[in-house]
């Protein structure tokens, strides 16, 4: 791999790369120095004159992810060095960078990670076809032959690929679709966060940097939006250099690439990554030197600005009027013909998906609070509230729960308008809207947290639900107002980003030649703070801003998408609320002890066998809990397991046969569930996704079982086994309940509650049937023998079906045998019997089992299907329980005759 890079990147090409990077950075530095002075003047002027939009009603958390991590877990990574798939443990801290280790123990021991991925500029792909298409486009002119082998073949059907147009690609895979969706949401959140790398809090460096990059690209004839304007400044500058450098290198190196198609593609990716690393190192060093130089001269510049502020403003207004007289007529003509007819349609295309996303944020926040109110109604303690607040407090940074909100905005489409206005893709607007949605969710959660905490300190445990409801209503009202304000600002900014580059591109040829003569009107001392190019853009911006403001205002007046009018101001609606903003985030666990259960979950999910060295990591709470999907195999996290490479992966037609022979692959990549369920767990509740299909097969056979194991059979057993002894064992079901709970440890709350209700529901029918059938039992002896054969055959056939559907549980001792009455109550108890028990607490993970909706039904049906099997140890009880169907019919007829 090193030989490929060194052979194609010789000394002459490295010198060419360094020279090209230096050339770009010198031009950028010149523009940056000009824009830095202008941005500093605008910042000082804003501080003196003031201004700004409407005040936010919600509080804003300054450090939202303090002592938090986002996610961690195991998956498989493709290693380019040996072309193999190996198990990796990934840890994502609050910086949203991806650290990957050999195994979990390496992370717990604080060892250095094998690698770190900065996701800025990456795309998350879940299809090999998408990946191969992007690879083919990266090396144009090289066509794949029909039937040629692919670049790589995924070890499972669920790939996860991080693609970058210049940097190294990362290929992962998982064994289930649920895990793929989970990791996709996490990776997309990492990309979304790192793409938004420039801080808006810096009012000088950020606008100076973005304006310098924009002016550089406009000088190259590129006016539209740019997808690679993402990451930290060094990454953006590297993308700027690679945009013009990579085509030149491709023309030089591509003809010299040898080998098959996938070998040339792989070698080109290695070369591109090596070039990108060289460029990034050089850009970072030169940008840091430039920034140090500008910051060193900042104090003298600011002193000059504050001394001559009035004169600078007067001179700028004079030049602006002169430029406006030349530019405005041409701008208004262009505006009338090419801009105004499209403002309404573009605004509608932006409003519809964006508003749906914000509405989904509101609904998600509301549902979480409703769940907390319901659980508080059952257990009205502050500890219960603290447990839920520990989960809700990081709701905005839970990528899986927020995914439904993000998906609404991803439907944004600007088809038909992209080419006209030179919009590369709507991804720039989609990611910006998603960042705003996350901020709004966190502001709402933080405001609710502070208001609720203040209310809990002022009262006891009485009427906690009403307190939650009052706080919820206050926050929802503030959220609606802030949501309207944020969306209107987003719509205005998006329309400007679409229209301004188009207007500048159309007006620059006609107006650009006239701009230099206006420099003569500027005093030399003020020339650093007044640039005619910036004034020209401001004139164009103000010419179209009036129409954009009017379109957004009309949408608000019509209350479209719940937008508020600008005249609606909630300025002093809650004056004391913003005093709470200075307080730190509330430690619900430390103050109310409400996160004990959460800590146990995190310990089980994230740390198996932690020692004393990992206590700091243990204290760091994870936003997304790593919960294994029901039925999916557990990835081995303590060792680096090798799985087949490209050449050893079986074809799709041979996969099922190869899996049975290659046990090592099945053990490490995942036990794929076969239709017969041969490798499923021995305990019924831990079935894989195939359990739904199994229940459908066994559904028809469960009805006769329920009839045969009714309470009448229990009463006849009592008479046959000499009444007193057997009756005492049947009417005391407490020993079987613990035994039944040992076999299926993961029963839901509903199934557990039915076991607790069994004794009360069994006793009355047992006594009634015993008194009714005591007389004719002697006469039923003869017919009992006749009914045995037929009933046994039916039971054997049912047992064969149940053996195919479920693996047999281990038979309990005869002394702890589950009675037939208890079996029926576990399988057929009515829903209203469980109404006295609280619903299960809300799951923080956000990951539901593939059969979670039918989970309760599945767990109730499993005991009824496997119930006859433990009765094989005492044959006498088995035969008598089988024959009860015939005995019941005879006893009923004889009772009617009497």
């Amino acid at each position: 791999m090193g030989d490929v890079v060194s052979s194609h990147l010789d000394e002459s090409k490295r010198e060419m790369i360094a020279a090209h990077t230096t050339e770009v950075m010198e031009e950028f530095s010149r523009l940056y120095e000009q824009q830095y002075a202008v941005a500093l003047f605008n910042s000082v002027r804003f501080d003196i004159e003031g201004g700004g939009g409407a005040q936010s009603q919600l509080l804003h958390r300054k450090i939202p992810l303090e002592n938090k991590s986002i996610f961690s877990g195991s998956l498989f990574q493709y290693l380019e060095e040996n072309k193999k798939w190996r198990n990796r443990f990934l840890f994502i801290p609050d910086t949203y960078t991806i650290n990957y280790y050999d195994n979990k123990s390496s992370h717990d021991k604080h060892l250095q990670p094998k690698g770190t991925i900065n996701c800025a500029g990456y795309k998350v792909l879940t299809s090999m076809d998408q990946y191969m298409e992007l690879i083919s486009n990266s090396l144009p002119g090289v066509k794949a032959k029909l039937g040629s082998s692919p670049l790589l073949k995924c070890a499972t059907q669920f790939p996860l690929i991080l693609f970058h147009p210049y940097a190294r690609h990362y290929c992962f895979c998982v064994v289930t679709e649920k895990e793929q969706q989970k990791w996709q949401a996490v990776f997309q959140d990492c990309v979304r966060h790192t793409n938004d790398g420039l801080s808006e809090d810096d009012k000088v460096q950020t606008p100076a940097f973005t304006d310098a990059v924009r002016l550089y690209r406009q000088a190259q004839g590129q006016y539209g939006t740019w997808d690679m304007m993402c990451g930290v400044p060094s990454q953006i500058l590297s993308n700027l250099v690679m945009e013009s450098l990579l085509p030149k290198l491709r023309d030089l190196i591509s003809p010299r690439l040898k080998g098959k198609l996938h070998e040339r593609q792989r070698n080109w990716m290695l070369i591109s990554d090596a070039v990108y690393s060289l460029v990034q190192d050089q850009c970072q060093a030169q940008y840091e030197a430039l920034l140090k130089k500008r910051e060193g001269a900042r104090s003298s510049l600011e002193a000059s600005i504050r001394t001559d502020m009035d004169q600078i403003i007067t001179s700028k207004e004079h030049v602006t009027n002169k430029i406006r007289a030349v530019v405005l007529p041409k701008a208004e003509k262009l505006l009338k013909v090419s801009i105004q007819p499209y403002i309404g349609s573009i605004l509608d295309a932006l409003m519809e998906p964006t508003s749906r996303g914000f509405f989904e944020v509101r609904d998600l926040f509301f549902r979480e609070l409703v769940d907390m109110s319901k659980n508080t109604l059952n257990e009205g303690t502050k500890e219960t509230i603290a447990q839920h607040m520990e989960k809700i407090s990081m709701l905005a940074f839970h990528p899986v729960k927020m995914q439904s909100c993000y998906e609404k905005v991803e439907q944004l489409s600007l088809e038909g308008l992209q080419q006209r206005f030179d919009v590369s893709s709507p991804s720039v607007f989609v990611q910006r809207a998603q960042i705003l949605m996350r901020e709004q969710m966190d502001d709402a959660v933080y405001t609710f947290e502070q208001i609720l905490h203040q209310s809990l300190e002022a009262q006891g445990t009485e009427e906690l639900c009403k307190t939650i409801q009052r706080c919820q209503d206050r926050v929802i009202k503030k959220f609606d107002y802030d949501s309207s304000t944020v969306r209107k600002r987003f719509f205005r900014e998006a329309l400007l980003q679409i229209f301004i580059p188009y207007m500048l591109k159309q007006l620059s040829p006609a107006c650009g030649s006239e701009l230099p003569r206006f420099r003569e009107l500027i005093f030399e001392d003020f020339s650093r703070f007044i640039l005619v190019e910036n004034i020209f853009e401001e004139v164009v911006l103000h010419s179209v801003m009036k129409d954009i403001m009017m379109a957004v205002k009309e949408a608000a007046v019509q209350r479209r998408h719940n937008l508020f009018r600008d005249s609606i101001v909630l300025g002093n609606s809650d004056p004391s609320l913003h005093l709470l903003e200075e307080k730190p985030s509330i430690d619900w666990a430390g103050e109310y002890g409400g996160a004990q259960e959460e800590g146990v979950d995190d310990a089980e999910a994230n740390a198996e066998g932690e020692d004393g060295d990992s206590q700091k990591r243990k204290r760091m709470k994870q936003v997304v809990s790593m919960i294994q999907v029901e039925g999916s195999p557990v990835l081995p996290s303590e060792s680096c397991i090798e799985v087949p490479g490209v050449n050893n992966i079986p074809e799709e037609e041979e996969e099922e046969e190869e899996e049975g022979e290659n046990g090592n692959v099945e053990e490490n990549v995942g036990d794929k569930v076969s239709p017969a369920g041969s490798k499923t767990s021995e305990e019924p509740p831990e079935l894989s996704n195939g359990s739904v299909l199994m229940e459908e097969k066994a559904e028809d056979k469960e009805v006769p079982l329920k009839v045969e194991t009714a309470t009448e059979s229990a009463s006849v057993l009592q008479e046959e086994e000499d009444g007193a002894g057997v009756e005492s064992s049947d009417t005391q079901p407490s020993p079987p309940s613990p035994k039944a709970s040992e076999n299926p440890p993961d029963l839901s709350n509903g199934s557990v509650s039915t076991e607790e209700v069994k004794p009360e529901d069994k006793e009355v029918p047992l006594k009634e049937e015993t008194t009714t059938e005591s007389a004719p039992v002697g006469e039923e002896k003869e017919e009992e023998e006749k009914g045995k054969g037929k009933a046994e055959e039916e039971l054997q056939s049912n047992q064969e079906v149940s053996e195919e559907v479920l693996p047999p549980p281990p038979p309990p001792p005869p002394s702890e045998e589950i009675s037939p009455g208890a079996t029926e109550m576990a399988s057929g108890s009515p829903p209203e019997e469980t109404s006295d028990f609280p619903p299960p607490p809300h799951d923080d993970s956000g990951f539901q089992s593939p059969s979670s909706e039918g989970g309760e039904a599945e767990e109730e049906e499993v005991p009824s299907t496997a119930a006859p099997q433990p009765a094989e140890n005492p044959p006498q009880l088995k035969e008598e329980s089988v024959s009860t169907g015939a005995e019941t019919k005879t006893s009923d007829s004889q009772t009617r005759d009497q």
Side-chain angles (χ1 to χ4, degrees), residues 627-638:
I627 296 181
Q628 189 70 23
V629 179
E630 183 180 346
S632 63
V634 180
L635 291 179
S637 59
E638 298 301 329

mmCIF file of all heavy atoms in Angstrom, residues 627-638:
data_model
loop_
_atom_site.group_PDB
_atom_site.id
_atom_site.type_symbol
_atom_site.label_atom_id
_atom_site.label_comp_id
_atom_site.label_asym_id
_atom_site.label_seq_id
_atom_site.Cartn_x
_atom_site.Cartn_y
_atom_site.Cartn_z
ATOM 1 N N ILE A 627 -28.393 -1.353 23.718
ATOM 2 C CA ILE A 627 -29.247 -2.468 24.100
ATOM 3 C C ILE A 627 -29.317 -3.432 22.936
ATOM 4 O O ILE A 627 -29.625 -3.053 21.817
ATOM 5 C CB ILE A 627 -30.642 -1.990 24.504
ATOM 6 C CG1 ILE A 627 -30.534 -1.114 25.764
ATOM 7 C CG2 ILE A 627 -31.568 -3.151 24.751
ATOM 8 C CD1 ILE A 627 -31.839 -0.602 26.262
ATOM 9 N N GLN A 628 -29.044 -4.697 23.206
ATOM 10 C CA GLN A 628 -29.041 -5.690 22.143
ATOM 11 C C GLN A 628 -30.448 -5.924 21.641
ATOM 12 O O GLN A 628 -31.378 -6.100 22.410
ATOM 13 C CB GLN A 628 -28.452 -7.016 22.666
ATOM 14 C CG GLN A 628 -28.207 -8.057 21.594
ATOM 15 C CD GLN A 628 -27.063 -7.657 20.691
ATOM 16 O OE1 GLN A 628 -26.207 -6.875 21.076
ATOM 17 N NE2 GLN A 628 -27.046 -8.172 19.488
ATOM 18 N N VAL A 629 -30.627 -5.938 20.340
ATOM 19 C CA VAL A 629 -31.930 -6.211 19.753
ATOM 20 C C VAL A 629 -32.301 -7.659 20.025
ATOM 21 O O VAL A 629 -31.486 -8.561 19.884
ATOM 22 C CB VAL A 629 -31.909 -5.934 18.238
ATOM 23 C CG1 VAL A 629 -33.256 -6.229 17.614
ATOM 24 C CG2 VAL A 629 -31.521 -4.496 17.991
ATOM 25 N N GLU A 630 -33.532 -7.902 20.422
ATOM 26 C CA GLU A 630 -33.974 -9.246 20.765
ATOM 27 C C GLU A 630 -33.835 -10.169 19.568
ATOM 28 O O GLU A 630 -34.321 -9.909 18.477
ATOM 29 C CB GLU A 630 -35.439 -9.213 21.208
ATOM 30 C CG GLU A 630 -35.947 -10.583 21.657
ATOM 31 C CD GLU A 630 -37.396 -10.496 22.084
ATOM 32 O OE1 GLU A 630 -37.878 -9.373 22.265
ATOM 33 O OE2 GLU A 630 -38.024 -11.532 22.221
ATOM 34 N N GLY A 631 -33.139 -11.282 19.786
ATOM 35 C CA GLY A 631 -32.972 -12.262 18.730
ATOM 36 C C GLY A 631 -31.707 -12.092 17.943
ATOM 37 O O GLY A 631 -31.356 -12.950 17.146
ATOM 38 N N SER A 632 -30.969 -10.996 18.119
ATOM 39 C CA SER A 632 -29.741 -10.807 17.358
ATOM 40 C C SER A 632 -28.576 -11.335 18.174
ATOM 41 O O SER A 632 -28.569 -11.235 19.393
ATOM 42 C CB SER A 632 -29.531 -9.327 17.045
ATOM 43 O OG SER A 632 -29.376 -8.601 18.237
ATOM 44 N N PRO A 633 -27.582 -11.915 17.520
ATOM 45 C CA PRO A 633 -26.440 -12.445 18.254
ATOM 46 C C PRO A 633 -25.595 -11.331 18.842
ATOM 47 O O PRO A 633 -25.545 -10.239 18.325
ATOM 48 C CB PRO A 633 -25.670 -13.228 17.181
ATOM 49 C CG PRO A 633 -26.044 -12.554 15.911
ATOM 50 C CD PRO A 633 -27.474 -12.098 16.078
ATOM 51 N N VAL A 634 -24.934 -11.670 19.940
ATOM 52 C CA VAL A 634 -24.077 -10.706 20.614
ATOM 53 C C VAL A 634 -22.708 -10.749 19.971
ATOM 54 O O VAL A 634 -22.098 -11.801 19.837
ATOM 55 C CB VAL A 634 -23.985 -11.021 22.115
ATOM 56 C CG1 VAL A 634 -23.099 -10.011 22.825
ATOM 57 C CG2 VAL A 634 -25.373 -11.042 22.722
ATOM 58 N N LEU A 635 -22.205 -9.577 19.552
ATOM 59 C CA LEU A 635 -20.889 -9.529 18.938
ATOM 60 C C LEU A 635 -19.830 -9.728 20.007
ATOM 61 O O LEU A 635 -19.902 -9.135 21.076
ATOM 62 C CB LEU A 635 -20.670 -8.180 18.247
ATOM 63 C CG LEU A 635 -21.505 -7.918 17.017
ATOM 64 C CD1 LEU A 635 -21.186 -6.533 16.486
ATOM 65 C CD2 LEU A 635 -21.281 -8.943 15.949
ATOM 66 N N PRO A 636 -18.855 -10.555 19.756
ATOM 67 C CA PRO A 636 -17.765 -10.692 20.720
ATOM 68 C C PRO A 636 -16.933 -9.433 20.765
ATOM 69 O O PRO A 636 -16.401 -8.998 19.766
ATOM 70 C CB PRO A 636 -16.959 -11.884 20.169
ATOM 71 C CG PRO A 636 -17.264 -11.910 18.716
ATOM 72 C CD PRO A 636 -18.671 -11.389 18.567
ATOM 73 N N SER A 637 -16.848 -8.844 21.945
ATOM 74 C CA SER A 637 -16.174 -7.550 22.063
ATOM 75 C C SER A 637 -14.817 -7.652 22.735
ATOM 76 O O SER A 637 -14.132 -6.659 22.850
ATOM 77 C CB SER A 637 -17.052 -6.581 22.874
ATOM 78 O OG SER A 637 -17.301 -7.112 24.153
ATOM 79 N N GLU A 638 -14.436 -8.806 23.193
ATOM 80 C CA GLU A 638 -13.185 -8.922 23.921
ATOM 81 C C GLU A 638 -12.054 -9.463 23.051
ATOM 82 O O GLU A 638 -10.980 -9.702 23.529
ATOM 83 C CB GLU A 638 -13.381 -9.853 25.136
ATOM 84 C CG GLU A 638 -14.392 -9.326 26.134
ATOM 85 C CD GLU A 638 -14.007 -7.976 26.678
ATOM 86 O OE1 GLU A 638 -12.798 -7.707 26.784
ATOM 87 O OE2 GLU A 638 -14.889 -7.181 26.994
#
